[in-house]
Amino acid sequence: MTTRPFKQVDVFTSTPYFGNPLAVVLDGSGLDDAEMQRFAKWTNLSETTFLLPPTEPTADYRVRIFTPGGELPFAGHPTLGSCHAWLQAGGKPKSSSHIVQQCAQGLVPIQREGERLVFAAPPLRRSAPSPTLLAKVAAALGLKAQQIVAAQLLDNGPVWLGLLLDDADTVLALKPDHRMLRELGQKVGVAGIWSTDDSPPLIVRSNREARAFARTEEAPAGIEVRVFAAPVGIEEDPVTGSFNASLAQWLIADGQMPERYVAAQGQTLGRSGRVHVTRDADGQVWVGGSSVTCIDGTVAI
C-alpha cells in the first residue's frame, strides 16, 4: 500500500455537510481499475475520484470517477469537487482564464465565478423515451400520467431519464420503489418548477427540512430536483451536477426555464444543495456551485 494525499469535499454548498460529499485521492498513480473500484465501494459515497497526470496536452489534470458500482465517463459534482481539491492542493492551471479537466468523456473547461467553480456542460443528446419505459418508471415513482409534464432521455456521458413534473411539491412528495428502479436499470432525474404563487422554496415542507435550511444561507431556487440511481448503487443522490447540466440544456432550450436560474436538490435527505445554471451569449450552459473541504489528510491504498 502507498500513502496518498486525500481530501473529502462537500460540493454544491457553502456550508459543510449540506451538499454532496466527494472523496478525492489526489494521486491515483499506479492504481489499477480493481483497486480504484474497491476503494470507491469502501468510501460508500456517491462518487470517489482519482487524480492523475493528463495525457492530453491542453489538460491540467486527468480524473477517473467511480461510484460504488462502477466507473463514470463524466459527472458534475466530482468535476467541481476534484477541481476544488486540485487547486487547494497547489494545482497551477496552464491558462490564466480557466482550468481544463480531462475525463473519459473528454475535456471539460472549468472557470472561476467568484467563490464558485463552474463547468461547461458537455454536449447533450436527447430523445423521447419509449412509452413502455416511461410507464414503468412512473409506476416505480408512484406517479400518475397527468403529473408528468414532459420526459426526455438525456445523455451527456451518463444517461438519465429526465421527468418534468407538474410542480415542486410533487417532486418532494415522491416515495420511489428503488427495487423496481434497480430492476429497470434506468437512472432517473425528476424536477418541478416552483410557482411564483407558492411559498418561497426555501421555506420547506417538514420540520427536518426546515431545520436544515435554518442552518444554511443558500440561494433561493426556481426549480426542485431529485435524482434516483439505484442501478449504480445510489438510491437517491444528494446533489447531481451531470443531471442538472442536461436538465438545464433541455429546459432552457424548450423555454421551460430562464437562461439563469438556481436549482435546489437534497431537501428530502436533509441537505440544501444549490446548483447555479447560466447559458451564455454563445449558447453554452455553465453549471456551478460552491465547494468546501471537510477532511484533509492521507489514505493508504
Side-chain angles (χ1 to χ4, degrees), residues 27-29 51-56 59-63 102:
D27 178 12
S29 301
L51 303 191
L52 298 157
T55 58
E56 294 286 345
D60 292 301
Y61 62 89
R62 180 162 64 100
V63 64
Q102 179 186 353

Side-chain angles (χ1 to χ4, degrees), residues 270-295:
R271 311 291 176 84
S272 185
R274 291 295 182 270
V275 182
H276 295 257
V277 171
T278 303
R279 185 170 73 173
D280 65 22
D282 297 323
Q284 174 65 57
V285 170
W286 294 87
V287 178
S290 300
S291 295
V292 288
T293 298
C294 300
I295 299 172

Side-chain angles (χ1 to χ4, degrees), residues 9-50:
V9 178
D10 208 11
V11 186
F12 291 120
T13 181
S14 57
T15 305
Y17 315 117
F18 283 90
N20 195 357
L22 173 74
V24 185
V25 178
L26 289 154
D27 178 12
S29 301
L31 293 173
D32 62 25
D33 292 6
E35 289 168 324
M36 290 183 182
Q37 184 63 72
R38 188 179 303 113
F39 184 71
K41 188 174 183 179
W42 178 82
T43 68
N44 201 34
L45 297 176
S46 57
E47 279 103 358
T48 297
T49 63
F50 301 84

